[in-house]
Amino acid sequence: MSASQVKELRERTGLGLLECKKALSAANGDIDAAIEELRKSSGMKAAKKAGRTAADGIVAARVADDGSYGVLVEVNSETDFVARDESFLAFVSQVVDRAFETRETDVATLMGEGLEQAREALVQKIGENIGVRRIALTSADNGVVGAYVHGNNRIAVLVELQSGDQDLARDVAMHVAAVNPQVVQPSDMPAELVEKEKEIYTAQALDSGKPAEIVEKMIGGRIKKFLAENSLIDQAFVKDPDVTVGKLVSSAGASVVSFSRFEVGEGIEVETVDFAAEVAAQLKG
């Protein structure tokens, strides 16, 4: 049994180092025989997968025909290859269907009644950790909801407008996907973020050696620019930079109420594993 055989078995099964070494040893170095035995331990295999980081995958959106509400869903896999697999995409469709029908945003609740079993079965079939990460629901009481999903299925957005129509909401959602604003309007920006930016700008301005009144104007100008750059309604519309999103929407007699933006894997820390170092550490042990 060589290190290269262990590596190949890990790549083909996704299981841990020691488990693969034991399986190869029991199979006298026969990789196919080791895989056959490991496949009989499906419950153990699923449990092992749960500890692996799933930071790839896709996002999906669905909006009611009348624009009254919409849902966003992120389902993760470990690799982009699996994110394109037909079985994985079919599972995502199941999740979106359930979320859309029930308007449920709690993942644990949504995964009841068969979806968790379907997820576990997919883990066994594909050989990667797969998980439903999050769900967002947007409803419009007196307006409309529109959606945009980028072509690679890695960014999806829901936008709620007061008045307007779904085409306009979709255009704004496309802008949100491309530019990624933090808030709808400047007054929505959390005070702690504004204060943090102000501290940074103050330190930079004081280093300039300019008079206090000039420093104060510099800080005010930079804060104003920060808010404009990160507030949706003040941003230049991506399809027509001569018009802000706010003016685009108001010219149609509408206003932006809210938006939700999902990007695959955002905020997930991925641990990188050095296989050679792992083997060396095991051998030393």
Side-chain angles (χ1 to χ4, degrees):
M1 177 180 63
S2 65
S4 62
Q5 287 178 306
V6 176
K7 182 176 185 294
E8 181 180 346
L9 185 58
R10 289 193 69 191
E11 290 175 345
R12 291 177 64 180
T13 65
L15 297 178
L17 176 65
L18 292 178
E19 192 169 2
C20 288
K21 288 178 69 175
K22 289 178 182 178
L24 272 175
S25 178
N28 296 316
D30 186 326
I31 291 178
D32 290 332
I35 290 175
E36 185 176 341
E37 287 302 311
L38 288 168
R39 282 178 174 169
K40 295 175 183 178
S41 307
S42 59
M44 176 187 66
K45 183 177 179 183
K48 290 290 182 182
K49 295 295 181 187
R52 299 241 302 267
T53 302
D56 215 297
I58 68 170
V59 289
R62 182 169 300 174
V63 175
D65 291 340
D66 62 1
S68 59
Y69 77 100
V71 295
L72 286 182
V73 172
E74 178 181 358
V75 182
N76 297 126
S77 59
E78 293 180 46
T79 64
D80 177 62
F81 177 77
V82 165
R84 300 191 302 269
D85 181 87
E86 289 186 4
S87 297
F88 177 81
L89 295 175
F91 172 69
V92 174
S93 291
Q94 284 184 278
V95 174
V96 174
D97 286 345
R98 179 74 61 81
F100 185 77
E101 291 167 3
T102 64
R103 306 193 191 193
E104 179 61 63
T105 58
D106 181 77
V107 173
T109 301
L110 186 82
M111 294 301 287
E113 300 180 12
L115 274 186
E116 177 58 25
Q117 289 80 359
R119 185 196 69 81
E120 290 178 356
L122 189 59
V123 168
Q124 309 310 320
K125 177 181 179 181
I126 290 181
E128 282 194 10
N129 187 19
I130 291 165
V132 178
R133 184 186 182 196
R134 51 182 172 165
I135 308 161
L137 169 70
T138 299
S139 300
D141 295 329
N142 297 298
V144 66
V145 174
Y148 172 77
V149 180
H150 194 57
N152 59 8
N153 294 322
R154 297 184 67 85
I155 300 175
V157 178
L158 289 178
V159 165
E160 177 191 359
L161 297 182
Q162 181 76 32
S163 299
D165 57 32
Q166 281 187 283
D167 287 338
L168 178 61
R170 184 181 184 280
D171 273 349
V172 176
M174 183 186 300
H175 172 94
V176 172
V179 183
N180 194 16
Q182 293 188 45
V183 293
V184 172
Q185 53 191 347
S187 60
D188 296 330
M189 189 68 71
E192 59 269 23
L193 286 184
V194 176
E195 189 59 34
K196 183 177 180 180
E197 291 298 315
K198 187 174 181 179
E199 290 176 4
I200 295 171
Y201 297 148
T202 298
Q204 294 173 347
L206 289 174
D207 286 342
S208 68
K210 290 182 171 57
E213 62 272 17
I214 300 299
V215 166
E216 191 64 30
K217 289 182 179 180
M218 289 173 62
I219 295 170
R222 290 182 179 181
I223 289 295
K224 185 177 181 180
K225 181 180 179 183
F226 165 75
L227 291 172
E229 289 177 344
N230 291 281
S231 302
L232 173 60
I233 63 170
D234 288 337
Q235 293 176 337
F237 181 45
V238 289
K239 293 172 69 174
D240 183 2
D242 292 330
V243 179
T244 65
V245 173
K247 288 183 178 180
L248 171 77
V249 174
S250 63
S251 66
S255 61
V256 180
V257 178
S258 68
F259 67 83
S260 296
R261 183 184 188 275
F262 280 4
E263 184 168 351
V264 171
E266 59 188 347
I268 298 177
E269 293 186 8
V270 181
E271 180 182 359
T272 57
V273 179
D274 186 332
F275 179 77
E278 187 179 341
V279 172
Q282 291 291 337
L283 292 175
K284 287 181 181 179

